[in-house]
């Protein structure tokens, strides 16, 4: 992962590959952007990442949009089951989706994550400005020195908070602008990349 590659050789920890037996169980899903049954989580085969797929996560403004449609959010709390002797942090995240923004409109994607009972990461925001009609992708990277690992031997849920906002701005109020965490073919996923570490003892 690029977060490791950019660190000085002396500072970079020895790369540990994801252990077999990693599973993820969703504890709770709440928010206007992820109604029941519309968010799914899967671990990659190499245990180096997990993906979140949304099927009904769209914010919009203008046209026939309702007054609360401009903002959608989702909070997912998950239990990441890791074999004994290992722990993990999130080293990078790739957010993807589709947007259609009229000239003068804008949209914001915002996200943060944290372990239960620990400080939340600072939310990182990305902005798109209209005119725009295409897939979008934003990638957030964490420096090796700033990785936050789950404390070894402790059960703590991993929580993800995401938000989409669309502002019609100076665009034609009769026309709809939107931003979504999914795409027309449903293949778009948000990917969280693990950094693994062996626990002492």
């Amino acid at each position: 992962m690029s977060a490791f590659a950019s660190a000085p050789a002396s500072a970079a920890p020895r790369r540990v590959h994801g252990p077999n037996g990693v599973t993820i169980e969703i504890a709770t899903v709440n928010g206007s952007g992820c109604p029941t049954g519309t968010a799914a989580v899967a671990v990659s085969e190499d245990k180096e990442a997990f993906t979140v797929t949304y099927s009904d996560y769209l914010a919009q403004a203008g046209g026939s949009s309702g007054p609360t449609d401009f903002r959608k959010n989702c909070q997912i709390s998950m239990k990441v089951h890791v074999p004994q002797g290992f722990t993990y942090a999130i080293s990078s995240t790739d957010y993807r989706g589709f947007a259609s923004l009229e000239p003068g409109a804008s949209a914001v994607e915002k996200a943060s994550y944290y372990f239960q009972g620990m400080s939340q990461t600072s939310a990182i925001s990305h902005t798109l400005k209209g005119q725009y009609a295409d897939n979008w992708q934003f990638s957030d990277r964490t420096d090796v020195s700033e990785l936050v690992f789950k404390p070894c031997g402790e059960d703590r849920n991993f929580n993800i908070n995401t938000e989409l906002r669309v502002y019609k701005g100076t665009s034609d109020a009769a026309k709809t602008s939107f931003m979504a965490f999914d795409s027309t073919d449903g293949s778009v996923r948000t990917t969280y990349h693990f950094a693994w570490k062996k626990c002492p003892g």
Side-chain angles (χ1 to χ4, degrees):
M1 297 170 204
S2 62
F4 288 106
S6 62
S10 59
R14 190 170 62 83
R15 176 70 182 274
V16 176
H17 290 286
N20 290 324
V22 178
T23 61
I24 293 180
E25 170 190 350
I26 294 181
T28 58
V29 178
N30 294 297
S32 55
C34 50
T36 303
T38 65
V41 178
V43 184
S44 66
E45 286 188 20
D46 61 7
K47 314 304 182 191
E48 297 298 317
F50 68 89
T51 59
V52 181
T53 307
Y54 303 98
S55 58
D56 191 17
Y57 198 156
L58 180 147
Q60 62 182 38
S64 59
S65 305
T68 62
D69 290 344
F70 80 99
R71 176 185 180 272
K72 293 295 175 73
N73 76 299
C74 183
Q75 298 183 347
I76 300 178
S77 179
M78 59 187 72
K79 299 177 187 292
V80 181
H81 300 287
V82 177
Q84 191 170 359
F86 288 88
T87 187
Y88 69 94
I90 301 300
S91 63
S92 61
T93 312
D94 300 317
Y95 300 98
R96 296 183 180 88
F98 185 84
S100 177
L101 304 173
E102 292 294 318
S106 62
V108 176
E109 177 268 331
K110 182 178 177 181
S112 62
Y113 50 82
Y114 62 100
F115 292 107
Q116 179 182 4
M118 298 174 67
S119 297
Q120 186 163 321
T121 59
S122 55
I124 299 177
S125 299
H126 301 279
T127 300
L128 289 176
K129 295 185 181 298
Q131 188 173 10
Y132 189 94
D134 202 350
N135 290 317
W136 55 265
Q137 176 175 340
F138 301 122
S139 295
D140 299 338
R141 300 283 182 264
T142 303
D143 290 339
V144 169
S145 62
E146 296 177 0
L147 290 176
V148 178
F149 285 88
K150 183 179 77 68
C152 285
E154 295 185 13
D155 280 333
R156 293 176 184 258
N157 286 7
F158 183 69
N159 301 301
I160 296 170
N161 295 325
T162 54
E163 181 180 318
L164 296 178
R165 289 177 183 252
V166 176
Y167 302 101
K168 66 177 185 287
T170 59
S171 66
D172 184 343
K175 295 183 178 179
T176 302
S177 294
F178 71 87
M179 185 181 198
F181 257 126
D182 50 36
S183 67
T184 50
D185 62 5
S187 65
V188 172
R189 296 173 174 84
T190 297
T191 305
Y192 295 83
H193 300 275
F194 287 119
W196 291 102
K197 186 170 73 171
K198 287 187 176 179
C199 292

PDB file of all heavy atoms in Angstrom, residues 63-100:
ATOM      1  N   GLY A  63     -35.052  20.355  -8.699  1.00  0.00           N
ATOM      2  CA  GLY A  63     -36.137  19.577  -9.298  1.00  0.00           C
ATOM      3  C   GLY A  63     -37.218  19.260  -8.285  1.00  0.00           C
ATOM      4  O   GLY A  63     -37.671  20.131  -7.541  1.00  0.00           O
ATOM      5  N   SER A  64     -37.613  17.984  -8.220  1.00  0.00           N
ATOM      6  CA  SER A  64     -38.676  17.557  -7.307  1.00  0.00           C
ATOM      7  C   SER A  64     -38.114  17.028  -5.983  1.00  0.00           C
ATOM      8  O   SER A  64     -38.832  16.363  -5.230  1.00  0.00           O
ATOM      9  CB  SER A  64     -39.524  16.473  -7.978  1.00  0.00           C
ATOM     10  OG  SER A  64     -38.712  15.364  -8.320  1.00  0.00           O
ATOM     11  N   SER A  65     -36.851  17.317  -5.674  1.00  0.00           N
ATOM     12  CA  SER A  65     -36.229  16.823  -4.447  1.00  0.00           C
ATOM     13  C   SER A  65     -36.943  17.365  -3.214  1.00  0.00           C
ATOM     14  O   SER A  65     -37.386  18.507  -3.184  1.00  0.00           O
ATOM     15  CB  SER A  65     -34.750  17.246  -4.385  1.00  0.00           C
ATOM     16  OG  SER A  65     -34.059  16.834  -5.541  1.00  0.00           O
ATOM     17  N   GLY A  66     -37.042  16.519  -2.183  1.00  0.00           N
ATOM     18  CA  GLY A  66     -37.611  16.950  -0.911  1.00  0.00           C
ATOM     19  C   GLY A  66     -36.617  17.790  -0.129  1.00  0.00           C
ATOM     20  O   GLY A  66     -35.416  17.791  -0.437  1.00  0.00           O
ATOM     21  N   PRO A  67     -37.072  18.492   0.903  1.00  0.00           N
ATOM     22  CA  PRO A  67     -36.193  19.393   1.665  1.00  0.00           C
ATOM     23  C   PRO A  67     -35.061  18.695   2.408  1.00  0.00           C
ATOM     24  O   PRO A  67     -34.052  19.324   2.720  1.00  0.00           O
ATOM     25  CB  PRO A  67     -37.148  20.087   2.639  1.00  0.00           C
ATOM     26  CG  PRO A  67     -38.352  19.189   2.718  1.00  0.00           C
ATOM     27  CD  PRO A  67     -38.467  18.544   1.387  1.00  0.00           C
ATOM     28  N   THR A  68     -35.192  17.401   2.705  1.00  0.00           N
ATOM     29  CA  THR A  68     -34.126  16.680   3.412  1.00  0.00           C
ATOM     30  C   THR A  68     -33.300  15.788   2.494  1.00  0.00           C
ATOM     31  O   THR A  68     -32.372  15.120   2.950  1.00  0.00           O
ATOM     32  CB  THR A  68     -34.718  15.809   4.539  1.00  0.00           C
ATOM     33  OG1 THR A  68     -35.603  14.828   3.966  1.00  0.00           O
ATOM     34  CG2 THR A  68     -35.493  16.659   5.539  1.00  0.00           C
ATOM     35  N   ASP A  69     -33.617  15.784   1.194  1.00  0.00           N
ATOM     36  CA  ASP A  69     -32.918  14.892   0.265  1.00  0.00           C
ATOM     37  C   ASP A  69     -31.485  15.311  -0.022  1.00  0.00           C
ATOM     38  O   ASP A  69     -30.701  14.523  -0.552  1.00  0.00           O
ATOM     39  CB  ASP A  69     -33.672  14.808  -1.065  1.00  0.00           C
ATOM     40  CG  ASP A  69     -34.988  14.064  -0.956  1.00  0.00           C
ATOM     41  OD1 ASP A  69     -35.175  13.356   0.055  1.00  0.00           O
ATOM     42  OD2 ASP A  69     -35.828  14.207  -1.867  1.00  0.00           O
ATOM     43  N   PHE A  70     -31.141  16.573   0.319  1.00  0.00           N
ATOM     44  CA  PHE A  70     -29.803  17.068  -0.035  1.00  0.00           C
ATOM     45  C   PHE A  70     -28.706  16.417   0.808  1.00  0.00           C
ATOM     46  O   PHE A  70     -27.539  16.440   0.431  1.00  0.00           O
ATOM     47  CB  PHE A  70     -29.734  18.592   0.141  1.00  0.00           C
ATOM     48  CG  PHE A  70     -29.522  19.044   1.564  1.00  0.00           C
ATOM     49  CD1 PHE A  70     -28.254  19.399   2.016  1.00  0.00           C
ATOM     50  CD2 PHE A  70     -30.582  19.097   2.461  1.00  0.00           C
ATOM     51  CE1 PHE A  70     -28.055  19.804   3.334  1.00  0.00           C
ATOM     52  CE2 PHE A  70     -30.392  19.499   3.776  1.00  0.00           C
ATOM     53  CZ  PHE A  70     -29.119  19.863   4.211  1.00  0.00           C
ATOM     54  N   ARG A  71     -29.081  15.816   1.948  1.00  0.00           N
ATOM     55  CA  ARG A  71     -28.078  15.188   2.810  1.00  0.00           C
ATOM     56  C   ARG A  71     -28.488  13.757   3.134  1.00  0.00           C
ATOM     57  O   ARG A  71     -29.592  13.505   3.583  1.00  0.00           O
ATOM     58  CB  ARG A  71     -27.917  15.964   4.121  1.00  0.00           C
ATOM     59  CG  ARG A  71     -26.948  15.304   5.104  1.00  0.00           C
ATOM     60  CD  ARG A  71     -26.922  16.043   6.442  1.00  0.00           C
ATOM     61  NE  ARG A  71     -26.003  15.422   7.402  1.00  0.00           N
ATOM     62  CZ  ARG A  71     -26.347  14.443   8.240  1.00  0.00           C
ATOM     63  NH1 ARG A  71     -27.595  13.979   8.261  1.00  0.00           N
ATOM     64  NH2 ARG A  71     -25.454  13.929   9.061  1.00  0.00           N
ATOM     65  N   LYS A  72     -27.567  12.819   2.912  1.00  0.00           N
ATOM     66  CA  LYS A  72     -27.779  11.431   3.308  1.00  0.00           C
ATOM     67  C   LYS A  72     -26.547  10.970   4.088  1.00  0.00           C
ATOM     68  O   LYS A  72     -25.419  11.399   3.790  1.00  0.00           O
ATOM     69  CB  LYS A  72     -28.002  10.521   2.086  1.00  0.00           C
ATOM     70  CG  LYS A  72     -29.298  10.801   1.334  1.00  0.00           C
ATOM     71  CD  LYS A  72     -30.526  10.489   2.168  1.00  0.00           C
ATOM     72  CE  LYS A  72     -31.822  10.889   1.477  1.00  0.00           C
ATOM     73  NZ  LYS A  72     -32.174   9.994   0.368  1.00  0.00           N
ATOM     74  N   ASN A  73     -26.769  10.115   5.070  1.00  0.00           N
ATOM     75  CA  ASN A  73     -25.634   9.642   5.864  1.00  0.00           C
ATOM     76  C   ASN A  73     -25.815   8.176   6.207  1.00  0.00           C
ATOM     77  O   ASN A  73     -26.912   7.612   6.071  1.00  0.00           O
ATOM     78  CB  ASN A  73     -25.494  10.462   7.152  1.00  0.00           C
ATOM     79  CG  ASN A  73     -26.539  10.069   8.186  1.00  0.00           C
ATOM     80  OD1 ASN A  73     -27.733  10.195   7.939  1.00  0.00           O
ATOM     81  ND2 ASN A  73     -26.108   9.604   9.344  1.00  0.00           N
ATOM     82  N   CYS A  74     -24.733   7.547   6.644  1.00  0.00           N
ATOM     83  CA  CYS A  74     -24.800   6.147   7.053  1.00  0.00           C
ATOM     84  C   CYS A  74     -23.738   5.893   8.115  1.00  0.00           C
ATOM     85  O   CYS A  74     -22.597   6.330   7.986  1.00  0.00           O
ATOM     86  CB  CYS A  74     -24.572   5.221   5.856  1.00  0.00           C
ATOM     87  SG  CYS A  74     -24.730   3.466   6.282  1.00  0.00           S
ATOM     88  N   GLN A  75     -24.138   5.187   9.165  1.00  0.00           N
ATOM     89  CA  GLN A  75     -23.217   4.752  10.214  1.00  0.00           C
ATOM     90  C   GLN A  75     -23.286   3.231  10.290  1.00  0.00           C
ATOM     91  O   GLN A  75     -24.355   2.671  10.540  1.00  0.00           O
ATOM     92  CB  GLN A  75     -23.601   5.363  11.562  1.00  0.00           C
ATOM     93  CG  GLN A  75     -23.528   6.874  11.590  1.00  0.00           C
ATOM     94  CD  GLN A  75     -23.839   7.452  12.967  1.00  0.00           C
ATOM     95  OE1 GLN A  75     -24.326   6.758  13.840  1.00  0.00           O
ATOM     96  NE2 GLN A  75     -23.554   8.734  13.145  1.00  0.00           N
ATOM     97  N   ILE A  76     -22.152   2.595  10.063  1.00  0.00           N
ATOM     98  CA  ILE A  76     -22.079   1.142  10.131  1.00  0.00           C
ATOM     99  C   ILE A  76     -21.145   0.749  11.267  1.00  0.00           C
ATOM    100  O   ILE A  76     -20.018   1.242  11.354  1.00  0.00           O
ATOM    101  CB  ILE A  76     -21.563   0.538   8.814  1.00  0.00           C
ATOM    102  CG1 ILE A  76     -22.493   0.896   7.651  1.00  0.00           C
ATOM    103  CG2 ILE A  76     -21.437  -0.979   8.924  1.00  0.00           C
ATOM    104  CD1 ILE A  76     -22.022   0.367   6.313  1.00  0.00           C
ATOM    105  N   SER A  77     -21.628  -0.107  12.155  1.00  0.00           N
ATOM    106  CA  SER A  77     -20.792  -0.652  13.217  1.00  0.00           C
ATOM    107  C   SER A  77     -20.598  -2.137  12.932  1.00  0.00           C
ATOM    108  O   SER A  77     -21.577  -2.858  12.696  1.00  0.00           O
ATOM    109  CB  SER A  77     -21.461  -0.461  14.587  1.00  0.00           C
ATOM    110  OG  SER A  77     -20.663  -1.008  15.621  1.00  0.00           O
ATOM    111  N   MET A  78     -19.350  -2.571  12.897  1.00  0.00           N
ATOM    112  CA  MET A  78     -19.086  -3.957  12.524  1.00  0.00           C
ATOM    113  C   MET A  78     -18.119  -4.627  13.486  1.00  0.00           C
ATOM    114  O   MET A  78     -17.270  -3.977  14.101  1.00  0.00           O
ATOM    115  CB  MET A  78     -18.559  -4.027  11.084  1.00  0.00           C
ATOM    116  CG  MET A  78     -17.293  -3.266  10.833  1.00  0.00           C
ATOM    117  SD  MET A  78     -16.861  -3.228   9.076  1.00  0.00           S
ATOM    118  CE  MET A  78     -18.103  -2.119   8.450  1.00  0.00           C
ATOM    119  N   LYS A  79     -18.266  -5.936  13.613  1.00  0.00           N
ATOM    120  CA  LYS A  79     -17.346  -6.754  14.399  1.00  0.00           C
ATOM    121  C   LYS A  79     -16.375  -7.415  13.423  1.00  0.00           C
ATOM    122  O   LYS A  79     -16.791  -8.226  12.597  1.00  0.00           O
ATOM    123  CB  LYS A  79     -18.124  -7.824  15.177  1.00  0.00           C
ATOM    124  CG  LYS A  79     -19.146  -7.277  16.174  1.00  0.00           C
ATOM    125  CD  LYS A  79     -19.913  -8.419  16.827  1.00  0.00           C
ATOM    126  CE  LYS A  79     -21.050  -7.922  17.692  1.00  0.00           C
ATOM    127  NZ  LYS A  79     -20.584  -7.201  18.892  1.00  0.00           N
ATOM    128  N   VAL A  80     -15.111  -7.021  13.497  1.00  0.00           N
ATOM    129  CA  VAL A  80     -14.085  -7.625  12.650  1.00  0.00           C
ATOM    130  C   VAL A  80     -13.400  -8.702  13.482  1.00  0.00           C
ATOM    131  O   VAL A  80     -12.698  -8.414  14.448  1.00  0.00           O
ATOM    132  CB  VAL A  80     -13.064  -6.577  12.173  1.00  0.00           C
ATOM    133  CG1 VAL A  80     -12.013  -7.235  11.276  1.00  0.00           C
ATOM    134  CG2 VAL A  80     -13.776  -5.447  11.427  1.00  0.00           C
ATOM    135  N   HIS A  81     -13.656  -9.963  13.135  1.00  0.00           N
ATOM    136  CA  HIS A  81     -13.086 -11.087  13.888  1.00  0.00           C
ATOM    137  C   HIS A  81     -11.713 -11.427  13.307  1.00  0.00           C
ATOM    138  O   HIS A  81     -11.595 -11.768  12.128  1.00  0.00           O
ATOM    139  CB  HIS A  81     -14.019 -12.296  13.806  1.00  0.00           C
ATOM    140  CG  HIS A  81     -15.383 -12.025  14.374  1.00  0.00           C
ATOM    141  ND1 HIS A  81     -15.620 -11.910  15.728  1.00  0.00           N
ATOM    142  CD2 HIS A  81     -16.577 -11.820  13.757  1.00  0.00           C
ATOM    143  CE1 HIS A  81     -16.913 -11.662  15.929  1.00  0.00           C
ATOM    144  NE2 HIS A  81     -17.505 -11.596  14.756  1.00  0.00           N
ATOM    145  N   VAL A  82     -10.693 -11.302  14.150  1.00  0.00           N
ATOM    146  CA  VAL A  82      -9.309 -11.473  13.717  1.00  0.00           C
ATOM    147  C   VAL A  82      -8.670 -12.615  14.514  1.00  0.00           C
ATOM    148  O   VAL A  82      -8.889 -12.725  15.721  1.00  0.00           O
ATOM    149  CB  VAL A  82      -8.516 -10.164  13.962  1.00  0.00           C
ATOM    150  CG1 VAL A  82      -7.061 -10.326  13.581  1.00  0.00           C
ATOM    151  CG2 VAL A  82      -9.150  -9.017  13.195  1.00  0.00           C
ATOM    152  N   PRO A  83      -7.904 -13.504  13.875  1.00  0.00           N
ATOM    153  CA  PRO A  83      -7.243 -14.582  14.606  1.00  0.00           C
ATOM    154  C   PRO A  83      -6.376 -14.040  15.737  1.00  0.00           C
ATOM    155  O   PRO A  83      -5.805 -12.954  15.637  1.00  0.00           O
ATOM    156  CB  PRO A  83      -6.392 -15.259  13.527  1.00  0.00           C
ATOM    157  CG  PRO A  83      -7.095 -14.953  12.249  1.00  0.00           C
ATOM    158  CD  PRO A  83      -7.657 -13.580  12.421  1.00  0.00           C
ATOM    159  N   GLN A  84      -6.266 -14.815  16.800  1.00  0.00           N
ATOM    160  CA  GLN A  84      -5.475 -14.411  17.963  1.00  0.00           C
ATOM    161  C   GLN A  84      -4.032 -14.133  17.543  1.00  0.00           C
ATOM    162  O   GLN A  84      -3.463 -14.842  16.721  1.00  0.00           O
ATOM    163  CB  GLN A  84      -5.518 -15.508  19.025  1.00  0.00           C
ATOM    164  CG  GLN A  84      -4.966 -15.088  20.373  1.00  0.00           C
ATOM    165  CD  GLN A  84      -5.262 -16.117  21.448  1.00  0.00           C
ATOM    166  OE1 GLN A  84      -5.900 -17.129  21.179  1.00  0.00           O
ATOM    167  NE2 GLN A  84      -4.803 -15.863  22.654  1.00  0.00           N
ATOM    168  N   GLY A  85      -3.463 -13.079  18.116  1.00  0.00           N
ATOM    169  CA  GLY A  85      -2.081 -12.748  17.802  1.00  0.00           C
ATOM    170  C   GLY A  85      -1.921 -11.676  16.751  1.00  0.00           C
ATOM    171  O   GLY A  85      -0.800 -11.272  16.432  1.00  0.00           O
ATOM    172  N   PHE A  86      -3.048 -11.192  16.186  1.00  0.00           N
ATOM    173  CA  PHE A  86      -2.990 -10.149  15.157  1.00  0.00           C
ATOM    174  C   PHE A  86      -3.901  -8.992  15.536  1.00  0.00           C
ATOM    175  O   PHE A  86      -4.890  -9.164  16.250  1.00  0.00           O
ATOM    176  CB  PHE A  86      -3.445 -10.692  13.801  1.00  0.00           C
ATOM    177  CG  PHE A  86      -2.470 -11.635  13.150  1.00  0.00           C
ATOM    178  CD1 PHE A  86      -2.517 -12.999  13.425  1.00  0.00           C
ATOM    179  CD2 PHE A  86      -1.510 -11.168  12.265  1.00  0.00           C
ATOM    180  CE1 PHE A  86      -1.630 -13.878  12.837  1.00  0.00           C
ATOM    181  CE2 PHE A  86      -0.612 -12.046  11.676  1.00  0.00           C
ATOM    182  CZ  PHE A  86      -0.670 -13.402  11.960  1.00  0.00           C
ATOM    183  N   THR A  87      -3.550  -7.823  15.035  1.00  0.00           N
ATOM    184  CA  THR A  87      -4.463  -6.691  15.110  1.00  0.00           C
ATOM    185  C   THR A  87      -4.337  -5.892  13.824  1.00  0.00           C
ATOM    186  O   THR A  87      -3.476  -6.167  12.990  1.00  0.00           O
ATOM    187  CB  THR A  87      -4.183  -5.806  16.337  1.00  0.00           C
ATOM    188  OG1 THR A  87      -5.228  -4.816  16.433  1.00  0.00           O
ATOM    189  CG2 THR A  87      -2.840  -5.095  16.223  1.00  0.00           C
ATOM    190  N   TYR A  88      -5.212  -4.885  13.654  1.00  0.00           N
ATOM    191  CA  TYR A  88      -5.261  -4.179  12.368  1.00  0.00           C
ATOM    192  C   TYR A  88      -5.546  -2.694  12.557  1.00  0.00           C
ATOM    193  O   TYR A  88      -6.059  -2.248  13.588  1.00  0.00           O
ATOM    194  CB  TYR A  88      -6.347  -4.783  11.467  1.00  0.00           C
ATOM    195  CG  TYR A  88      -7.755  -4.513  11.958  1.00  0.00           C
ATOM    196  CD1 TYR A  88      -8.480  -3.425  11.482  1.00  0.00           C
ATOM    197  CD2 TYR A  88      -8.358  -5.330  12.914  1.00  0.00           C
ATOM    198  CE1 TYR A  88      -9.756  -3.160  11.961  1.00  0.00           C
ATOM    199  CE2 TYR A  88      -9.635  -5.077  13.389  1.00  0.00           C
ATOM    200  CZ  TYR A  88     -10.330  -3.981  12.894  1.00  0.00           C
ATOM    201  OH  TYR A  88     -11.589  -3.714  13.369  1.00  0.00           O
ATOM    202  N   ALA A  89      -5.176  -1.935  11.544  1.00  0.00           N
ATOM    203  CA  ALA A  89      -5.568  -0.539  11.390  1.00  0.00           C
ATOM    204  C   ALA A  89      -6.076  -0.389   9.954  1.00  0.00           C
ATOM    205  O   ALA A  89      -5.960  -1.318   9.149  1.00  0.00           O
ATOM    206  CB  ALA A  89      -4.382   0.393  11.636  1.00  0.00           C
ATOM    207  N   ILE A  90      -6.643   0.762   9.646  1.00  0.00           N
ATOM    208  CA  ILE A  90      -7.047   1.064   8.267  1.00  0.00           C
ATOM    209  C   ILE A  90      -6.016   2.017   7.685  1.00  0.00           C
ATOM    210  O   ILE A  90      -5.815   3.123   8.191  1.00  0.00           O
ATOM    211  CB  ILE A  90      -8.448   1.701   8.212  1.00  0.00           C
ATOM    212  CG1 ILE A  90      -9.476   0.752   8.827  1.00  0.00           C
ATOM    213  CG2 ILE A  90      -8.818   2.046   6.772  1.00  0.00           C
ATOM    214  CD1 ILE A  90      -9.598  -0.599   8.145  1.00  0.00           C
ATOM    215  N   SER A  91      -5.326   1.574   6.640  1.00  0.00           N
ATOM    216  CA  SER A  91      -4.239   2.374   6.070  1.00  0.00           C
ATOM    217  C   SER A  91      -4.701   3.293   4.956  1.00  0.00           C
ATOM    218  O   SER A  91      -4.107   4.346   4.719  1.00  0.00           O
ATOM    219  CB  SER A  91      -3.135   1.455   5.538  1.00  0.00           C
ATOM    220  OG  SER A  91      -3.630   0.658   4.479  1.00  0.00           O
ATOM    221  N   SER A  92      -5.759   2.908   4.256  1.00  0.00           N
ATOM    222  CA  SER A  92      -6.264   3.747   3.171  1.00  0.00           C
ATOM    223  C   SER A  92      -7.685   3.323   2.814  1.00  0.00           C
ATOM    224  O   SER A  92      -8.106   2.205   3.123  1.00  0.00           O
ATOM    225  CB  SER A  92      -5.368   3.647   1.932  1.00  0.00           C
ATOM    226  OG  SER A  92      -5.337   2.318   1.443  1.00  0.00           O
ATOM    227  N   THR A  93      -8.393   4.240   2.187  1.00  0.00           N
ATOM    228  CA  THR A  93      -9.775   3.984   1.802  1.00  0.00           C
ATOM    229  C   THR A  93     -10.019   4.544   0.424  1.00  0.00           C
ATOM    230  O   THR A  93      -9.564   5.655   0.107  1.00  0.00           O
ATOM    231  CB  THR A  93     -10.758   4.649   2.793  1.00  0.00           C
ATOM    232  OG1 THR A  93     -10.364   4.327   4.129  1.00  0.00           O
ATOM    233  CG2 THR A  93     -12.168   4.162   2.562  1.00  0.00           C
ATOM    234  N   ASP A  94     -10.725   3.798  -0.405  1.00  0.00           N
ATOM    235  CA  ASP A  94     -11.107   4.246  -1.751  1.00  0.00           C
ATOM    236  C   ASP A  94     -12.621   4.357  -1.808  1.00  0.00           C
ATOM    237  O   ASP A  94     -13.327   3.349  -1.667  1.00  0.00           O
ATOM    238  CB  ASP A  94     -10.617   3.263  -2.813  1.00  0.00           C
ATOM    239  CG  ASP A  94      -9.102   3.107  -2.801  1.00  0.00           C
ATOM    240  OD1 ASP A  94      -8.419   4.136  -2.686  1.00  0.00           O
ATOM    241  OD2 ASP A  94      -8.626   1.968  -2.904  1.00  0.00           O
ATOM    242  N   TYR A  95     -13.123   5.583  -1.987  1.00  0.00           N
ATOM    243  CA  TYR A  95     -14.557   5.830  -2.087  1.00  0.00           C
ATOM    244  C   TYR A  95     -14.910   6.026  -3.553  1.00  0.00           C
ATOM    245  O   TYR A  95     -14.217   6.750  -4.272  1.00  0.00           O
ATOM    246  CB  TYR A  95     -14.943   7.085  -1.299  1.00  0.00           C
ATOM    247  CG  TYR A  95     -14.611   7.007   0.168  1.00  0.00           C
ATOM    248  CD1 TYR A  95     -13.448   7.585   0.671  1.00  0.00           C
ATOM    249  CD2 TYR A  95     -15.463   6.364   1.065  1.00  0.00           C
ATOM    250  CE1 TYR A  95     -13.132   7.514   2.018  1.00  0.00           C
ATOM    251  CE2 TYR A  95     -15.148   6.290   2.417  1.00  0.00           C
ATOM    252  CZ  TYR A  95     -13.984   6.867   2.891  1.00  0.00           C
ATOM    253  OH  TYR A  95     -13.679   6.788   4.215  1.00  0.00           O
ATOM    254  N   ARG A  96     -15.998   5.392  -3.980  1.00  0.00           N
ATOM    255  CA  ARG A  96     -16.402   5.505  -5.383  1.00  0.00           C
ATOM    256  C   ARG A  96     -17.905   5.704  -5.487  1.00  0.00           C
ATOM    257  O   ARG A  96     -18.663   5.289  -4.617  1.00  0.00           O
ATOM    258  CB  ARG A  96     -16.032   4.232  -6.162  1.00  0.00           C
ATOM    259  CG  ARG A  96     -14.554   3.947  -6.256  1.00  0.00           C
ATOM    260  CD  ARG A  96     -14.305   2.704  -7.105  1.00  0.00           C
ATOM    261  NE  ARG A  96     -12.896   2.380  -7.235  1.00  0.00           N
ATOM    262  CZ  ARG A  96     -12.225   1.615  -6.395  1.00  0.00           C
ATOM    263  NH1 ARG A  96     -12.842   1.092  -5.343  1.00  0.00           N
ATOM    264  NH2 ARG A  96     -10.948   1.376  -6.597  1.00  0.00           N
ATOM    265  N   GLY A  97     -18.316   6.314  -6.589  1.00  0.00           N
ATOM    266  CA  GLY A  97     -19.741   6.494  -6.822  1.00  0.00           C
ATOM    267  C   GLY A  97     -19.977   7.179  -8.155  1.00  0.00           C
ATOM    268  O   GLY A  97     -19.094   7.217  -9.025  1.00  0.00           O
ATOM    269  N   PHE A  98     -21.165   7.744  -8.308  1.00  0.00           N
ATOM    270  CA  PHE A  98     -21.554   8.432  -9.535  1.00  0.00           C
ATOM    271  C   PHE A  98     -22.221   9.741  -9.151  1.00  0.00           C
ATOM    272  O   PHE A  98     -22.907   9.817  -8.121  1.00  0.00           O
ATOM    273  CB  PHE A  98     -22.520   7.574 -10.367  1.00  0.00           C
ATOM    274  CG  PHE A  98     -22.866   8.198 -11.702  1.00  0.00           C
ATOM    275  CD1 PHE A  98     -22.033   8.031 -12.796  1.00  0.00           C
ATOM    276  CD2 PHE A  98     -24.012   8.965 -11.857  1.00  0.00           C
ATOM    277  CE1 PHE A  98     -22.332   8.608 -14.017  1.00  0.00           C
ATOM    278  CE2 PHE A  98     -24.330   9.552 -13.072  1.00  0.00           C
ATOM    279  CZ  PHE A  98     -23.488   9.372 -14.161  1.00  0.00           C
ATOM    280  N   ALA A  99     -22.020  10.786  -9.958  1.00  0.00           N
ATOM    281  CA  ALA A  99     -22.662  12.072  -9.693  1.00  0.00           C
ATOM    282  C   ALA A  99     -23.115  12.711 -10.990  1.00  0.00           C
ATOM    283  O   ALA A  99     -22.485  12.533 -12.040  1.00  0.00           O
ATOM    284  CB  ALA A  99     -21.707  13.013  -8.961  1.00  0.00           C
ATOM    285  N   SER A 100     -24.210  13.444 -10.889  1.00  0.00           N
ATOM    286  CA  SER A 100     -24.701  14.250 -11.999  1.00  0.00           C
ATOM    287  C   SER A 100     -25.072  15.612 -11.424  1.00  0.00           C
ATOM    288  O   SER A 100     -26.074  15.741 -10.707  1.00  0.00           O
ATOM    289  CB  SER A 100     -25.925  13.596 -12.655  1.00  0.00           C
ATOM    290  OG  SER A 100     -26.436  14.416 -13.691  1.00  0.00           O
TER     291      SER A 100
END
